[in-house]
Structure formats: structure tokens, C-alpha cells
Amino acid sequence: MINFKPTQLLIFLCCFLILLPSIVRGECTCEPEDEDRNKPLALKYKLVAIASILVAGAIGVCFPLLGRKFEALRPEKNLFFIIKAFAAGVILSTGFIHVLPDATESLTSPCLNENPWGKFPFAGLVAMTAAIGTLMVDVFATSHYTKSHLKTQQEQSEGDEEKTGENGNHVHVHTHATHGHSHGSVSLIEPSASSQLLRQRVVSQVLELGIVVHSVIIGISLGASESPKTIKPLVAALTFHQFFEGMGLGGCISQAKFKSRAVAIMALFFSITTPVGIAIGLGITNTYDESSPTALIVEGLLNSASAGILIYMALVDLLAADFMSPKLQNNGILQMGACVSLLLGAGLMSALAVWA
């Protein structure tokens, strides 16, 4: 139940996409700000946004996956560490600079009642809770499936020993000694490798969930807007945003070693999420009011949860896991390159906040 299969994750997120618009509709009790409305021009920008974001997201998420074809992009190569550090910086900046401030702005809006929204930092609380929840999912899922793997391996080992015991005494002693040596090597390495692979799969699925949540909200907000001045800068910002985020997610998917079908499903779903959100926004333009209390609360809480997930994933599962690995610890040049790449990714994504 904790470790979603890609198909289960797809079904859950499809339901989320369908239900979100009905949740965020509401009557406005706060006067919206005056803005230049030009519906035909705004529609053109929205169509451009759908195309550019879809292409950028697809290229970004597929780029790390090319390691199956190009040896230099494989997870064990130095270039992969550099790219992943850059993408982790992008995701970290997305959580701190883009998503969390938006959540705080929504939950402290003058359109909401002062009590309780103005008296307590709900955005920080929800982000912290989401980060802790992500930690628990990470720990419990990895622990559960590691134990299951060890139990299965132990049963197979006992079965092998019983089969070996059916041979003659001399053959049994010789074979058992060899088997014991071989089994000792496997038991020390295989569970660790299996546990690491499982953790990468949990990481990739939880990371995609966190990215998708705020991508849907961004898409709906853009699709529902009728102001070209608001939409135009967002097109470029979200295009780069989707490309860099896709690189981070693609790196995790690559390390998780999913089957080709699962990889295709996760990559496709990431690529279409924001464009689908824009399409939903287009469909509910006349009923959706981003300044209504219900919309502000729902968007603020979901953005806060997304920020907590992204910040945790970037710091713990992406950066700490790689920067504390023996490969990076024993290579000073690679350390320096990864640090520069991290700062570059975080800096460039932070700079996009000027246009967003």
C-alpha cells in the first residue's frame, strides 16, 4: 500500500486531477485585483504554454534515461552525478523559492479570515508535516520490503541446503562448504543492493507525487487566467522549470531500474501533468476564482505539502545520498564539480522567480 506501482500512482493522480477543480470552486468574498484581460490573446499564450511545457518536460525527464543508450549518462558515471546534483538544486530551489512562498501567500491572503489563517503559519506547519510524512513513508516502505526480501532469500537458502543434503556424505561436506562461502558473500551484498534499489523506487514515486501536485496547481492557475501580462512571463519560466525538474525526476527513475513500461508511464505522466492542468484551467475559466477563500485554502495547503515533500527529497534522498557516497567522498574533483553544479541549479531556478 505504501509502495505504489506506477499504474496505481497514475490512477490516483488521475482522480486527483478530476476532483481538484470541483474542490477549488467557490464564491469570492474578496475583490480581485484589477488586471488587463484579453481572452483571445491569453488563449494564444496558453496554447503556446501547453506545447512548450510538454516538449520541455519530455526532454528533461528523458535526458537522464538515455543512459541505457549512452554509456556516459549511466548512473555509475561521473557525469550522471553532476547532472543529478544540478537537478537536485533545481528541485530544492523549487520547494524553497517557488512553492513554499506561494503557499504562504495563499494562506495569509486578506481574502481569508484573520482567525485562524492570519494568526498561525499554516504553510510551514503543513510543509513540516509533509516532510516528516515523507520520511516515514521512506523508512517504513524500505524496511517492509527489505524484510520481505530477506525472508524470501532465507527460504530459498534453506531449500538449497536441503537439496544439497540429498547427496553423499563426501559430496555434501565439500558442496556445503563451498555453498556456505558463496552464500555468505551473497547475503552480505544482495540484500544491500536490493534495499538500495527498492529505496530508489520509493524515492522516484514520492518525488513524482510531490512534483505533480504543484504542477497541477500551477497549470490550473495559468489556464484559468485571462491576463496576457500574467501568462506571458510564466510560459518561459515554467518551460525551464519543467525541463530542470524533469532532469531530477529522470535521474531518480533511471537509478530505480524500472521496467521499460513503468518508465514510459512515469515519464509520460510527468510530461503531461502541467499541460493537462492548463487544459483544466481553460475549461473552468468562468467558474474558477483564484481569490476565493476555498481556492486559496486548497491551493495553499497542497502547495505547502508539495514544498515539504520536495525539500525533503532534495536534501535527504538526492543530495545527502549522493554527496555522502564513497564515489563522491573519494574523488575531490567530482566533489567540486557536484557542488558547483548544485549551486548553479539552485541559483538558476531561483533566478526564474523574477519572471514567475
Side-chain angles (χ1 to χ4, degrees):
M1 182 177 70
I2 297 176
N3 187 23
F4 295 108
K5 294 180 180 178
T7 52
Q8 293 173 329
L9 184 67
L10 178 62
I11 293 172
F12 170 77
L13 292 173
C14 283
C15 294
F16 173 79
L17 287 173
I18 294 171
L19 294 175
L20 182 62
S22 61
I23 295 174
V24 299
R25 292 179 187 177
E27 295 181 359
C28 180
T29 57
C30 181
E31 291 296 328
E33 295 180 359
D34 292 332
E35 59 179 353
D36 296 329
R37 297 179 183 274
N38 188 331
K39 195 169 184 178
L41 184 58
L43 178 60
K44 292 180 181 179
Y45 285 136
K46 292 175 190 179
L47 295 177
V48 171
I50 290 175
S52 63
I53 291 173
L54 178 63
V55 172
I59 294 174
V61 75
C62 290
F63 183 72
L65 300 177
L66 294 176
R68 296 184 177 185
K69 300 292 183 181
F70 300 97
E71 187 176 351
L73 294 176
R74 289 180 181 175
E76 65 272 12
K77 299 298 181 179
N78 291 347
L79 181 60
F80 185 86
F81 276 79
I82 300 296
I83 294 173
K84 194 177 176 186
F86 179 88
V90 169
I91 292 173
L92 185 63
S93 177
T94 297
F96 275 119
I97 306 298
H98 293 265
V99 185
L100 191 57
D102 286 347
T104 302
E105 183 180 358
S106 296
L107 296 178
T108 57
S109 171
C111 300
L112 300 179
N113 293 329
E114 178 66 18
N115 188 17
W117 302 105
K119 295 184 177 180
F120 188 84
F122 283 98
L125 174 66
V126 175
M128 178 184 69
T129 304
I132 294 173
T134 306
L135 169 66
M136 292 180 178
V137 170
D138 200 352
V139 171
F140 294 155
T142 305
S143 174
H144 172 72
Y145 287 99
T146 299
K147 290 177 181 177
S148 298
H149 171 79
L150 291 174
K151 184 178 179 180
T152 302
Q153 186 186 41
Q154 184 177 5
E155 291 174 352
Q156 291 176 348
S157 175
E158 291 174 355
D160 291 341
E161 290 181 358
E162 289 177 0
K163 290 180 180 179
T164 305
E166 295 176 359
N167 298 324
N169 291 336
H170 174 72
V171 177
H172 169 73
V173 173
H174 175 74
T175 307
H176 182 72
T178 306
H179 175 71
H181 174 73
S182 175
H183 176 68
S185 301
V186 173
S187 63
L188 289 174
I189 298 174
E190 203 170 281
S192 176
S194 176
S195 176
Q196 184 65 22
L197 180 62
L198 171 69
R199 191 163 186 272
Q200 290 294 343
R201 292 183 175 181
V202 173
V203 166
S204 62
Q205 291 172 352
V206 175
L207 178 60
E208 177 152 15
L209 179 63
I211 291 174
V212 163
V213 169
H214 87 267
S215 294
V216 172
I217 295 172
I218 290 172
I220 291 177
S221 298
L222 189 151
S225 176
E226 294 182 353
S227 170
K229 289 184 177 181
T230 300
I231 299 172
K232 189 175 180 179
L234 282 176
V235 174
L238 291 180
T239 298
F240 285 104
H241 179 279
Q242 198 77 351
F243 174 77
F244 293 140
E245 262 192 351
M247 289 178 62
L249 179 61
C252 291
I253 295 175
S254 176
Q255 287 184 308
K257 297 180 181 178
F258 285 111
K259 294 181 179 179
S260 298
R261 182 181 177 183
V263 170
I265 291 174
M266 295 183 72
L268 176 64
F269 198 78
F270 166 78
S271 302
I272 67 174
T273 299
T274 303
V276 168
I278 296 173
I280 293 174
L282 278 168
I284 61 172
T285 301
N286 296 327
T287 58
Y288 176 82
D289 189 346
E290 63 181 6
S291 62
S292 70
T294 304
L296 288 168
I297 292 171
V298 171
E299 290 180 8
L301 293 178
L302 289 176
N303 270 332
S304 299
S306 178
I309 293 172
L310 294 178
I311 291 169
Y312 171 86
M313 300 299 289
L315 289 175
V316 178
D317 287 328
L318 299 180
L319 293 174
D322 285 348
F323 276 67
M324 296 302 172
S325 67
K327 183 178 181 66
L328 208 68
Q329 290 289 312
N330 297 327
N331 190 330
I333 297 177
L334 184 58
Q335 282 183 23
M336 182 63 66
C339 289
V340 171
S341 183
L342 168 63
L343 293 173
L344 188 62
L348 289 175
M349 196 63 200
S350 300
L352 288 180
V354 177
W355 291 279

